[in-house]
Amino acid sequence: MIRQLRTSERFRAGVLPEATDIDQAIERSSDIAVVVDEAGVVSGISVNTECPTLGCLDHWVGRPFADFLTDECVDKFETRARALRESPDAQVRPIELNHIDNAKWEFPIRYTMHRIRGGETVLLLGRDLQPFAEVQQRLVREQMAREREQQRMRGVETYFRVVLEASETPLVLVDPEGGKIRDLNTAAAQLLGSTVDGLSDSGIAQAFEGRRRTEFLEALKGAASTSELKGIEAVARRNGRVVTLLPEFFRAAGDLVLLCRVTAIDDQDVRGPEFTQSLASLFASTTDAIVLTDAKGVIREANEAFLVMTDAAQLRDVKDQSLGEFLMRGTVDLTLILENAIKTGRIRSYMAQIKSVVGTRLPVDISAAHLRQRGGDLGIGLIIRDVSQEDTMAAAEPGSMVSQDAVKNVMDLVGTASLKELVSATSDVVEKMCIETAIQMTGNNRVAAAEMLGLSRQSLYVKLRKHGLLHSGGGD
């Protein structure tokens, strides 16, 4: 039968050291041992020589233990000591106490509490927590330093962002390896016809027309590597503006970055306000009509000479109307002018007739140009010159409607053919000249030429074959 032991009895077996040897082992295994009597006075103290940071504490003996505790630890110790004396069998958990000595030196100790000498005296076996506290303090200091560094970096980033956005110069930061836009300001995004979010992290070459990524990136890096300030000209994909990129390298945190300043090619800014004023004065005072339209031929601006030519009282009578409304052949003339101006950039001379708002007609010579000088598509500019006096003078000259060679060919027939045949030959000459003129005016567009002459397409082909003009020039 196994005898059940009481919890207050300690199980022992085999050979154990003497009590004094056990006391010494326990004493030496701790960093500090303090004996506190029932009055709370230190009756004995032992400090391990392996803990030089604690120093010599023999002045504690004979003085209240509470004198060497911080205020918040006095009640904690007394409560634990009283609980230990009242309940000998209770398992008292370890207690951490902060000691203070000479009102300056403060150090933490983790104690286990034990009853000795009849139960009223308490033995405190402690482990010095100063090394752990120092590690913790170092970790806290490192954490605080890290937080301060993060705050500093956030401040630097804020400064960078504010300065970048406040700059009136369009700026784009590009990764020279991948060609991606790392950052840009609002001025650059607006100049390129987009937003900051829309362009960030996208390829720089994608923002411009007809640019391959590798080729464009190499051109930027080549321009940035030269000592001369060399720009790269490109056309923004989203708004068609012509811009110049001025790249340069800089290094940040060991990484190379391309800083590109973007400037719009603006003839007005280059030439200055005097040039602009001169153009405005010429626009208002010239005797030739000047009209500005959009790409579809809708009138945006017109000068006084055009208002006189069309018998319009004021600009609002013609503005926002199609220029075709003032051309005798309407959309035929307008389409030919717009298509050729956009295709070739300019038209030197196009003969047409302007009709006024009251129905009068006026022969004119039209010159047109596709306007892109300021980096964007500004539409079509037209100069319309009155040629009615020239037509009058030409009409007054005999044989002015036909060429001298044609007249000579007809006159050579006199005496060899009847008058009816002579008149028929003259009609053929005039017909051939009119067809040739229509073909020339329309740029060999035979559909437009047929519409201009009031013929069907099939009838025009018959007459072209008749006069040997079928294979002159290109196709439709």
Side-chain angles (χ1 to χ4, degrees), residues 222-475:
S225 301
T226 60
S227 57
E228 300 178 357
L229 190 61
K230 185 178 179 182
I232 304 297
E233 186 173 311
V235 179
R237 185 185 301 274
R238 291 169 175 81
N239 58 8
R241 298 197 67 176
V242 181
V243 299
T244 299
L245 287 84
L246 300 172
E248 57 182 296
F249 281 117
F250 74 94
R251 192 174 294 276
D255 296 330
L256 275 178
V257 182
L258 267 175
L259 173 63
C260 298
R261 286 177 292 160
V262 187
T263 58
I265 298 178
D266 192 332
D267 290 342
Q268 177 178 341
D269 294 339
V270 173
R271 297 179 181 270
E274 183 178 352
F275 180 77
T276 304
Q277 293 174 3
S278 299
L279 282 181
S281 177
L282 177 64
F283 179 82
S285 59
T286 183
T287 57
D288 291 335
I290 300 178
V291 181
L292 302 178
T293 73
D294 62 13
K296 296 182 179 180
V298 177
I299 298 174
R300 291 175 175 174
E301 291 289 342
N303 65 351
E304 184 68 21
F306 183 75
L307 300 182
V308 174
M309 185 178 291
T310 56
D311 293 325
Q314 49 194 341
L315 179 61
R316 68 182 181 184
D317 294 335
V318 298
K319 190 174 183 180
D320 297 329
Q321 294 190 48
S322 173
L323 181 61
E325 298 292 331
F326 301 95
L327 296 172
M328 279 302 302
R329 289 187 290 264
T331 57
V332 175
D333 283 335
L334 182 61
T335 302
L336 288 172
I337 292 172
L338 296 181
E339 287 182 352
N340 284 278
I342 293 174
K343 181 179 180 180
T344 64
R346 60 180 60 87
I347 296 178
R348 182 176 181 181
S349 179
Y350 182 88
M351 302 303 297
Q353 286 187 338
I354 289 288
K355 62 179 180 180
S356 68
V357 294
V358 296
T360 60
R361 302 181 181 182
L362 187 67
V364 294
D365 182 9
I366 301 176
S367 299
H370 190 197
L371 305 180
R372 291 179 64 92
Q373 288 87 343
R374 300 187 61 184
D377 189 347
L378 299 182
I380 308 296
L382 303 101
I383 298 177
I384 306 174
R385 187 167 61 90
D386 181 3
V387 295
S388 58
Q389 294 182 355
E390 297 179 7
D391 287 350
T392 301
M393 293 176 62
E397 299 179 1
S400 60
M401 293 300 295
V402 294
S403 66
Q404 295 295 329
D405 292 339
V407 173
K408 185 177 183 302
N409 292 334
V410 174
M411 297 303 295
D412 288 342
L413 296 176
V414 176
T416 61
S418 65
L419 180 62
K420 182 178 180 180
E421 292 174 338
L422 292 175
V423 172
S424 176
T426 304
S427 301
D428 290 342
V429 170
V430 174
E431 184 179 71
K432 180 180 179 181
M433 291 179 59
C434 291
I435 293 174
E436 288 178 332
T437 301
I439 291 295
Q440 183 180 5
M441 290 176 63
T442 59
N444 203 36
N445 186 332
R446 295 174 183 177
V447 175
E451 189 173 351
M452 180 182 292
L453 295 171
L455 299 173
S456 66
R457 185 176 180 180
Q458 186 63 32
S459 298
L460 177 62
Y461 272 92
V462 170
K463 293 184 180 296
L464 288 173
R465 187 178 294 105
K466 171 185 175 181
H467 296 294
L469 302 175
L470 185 61
H471 299 291
S472 61

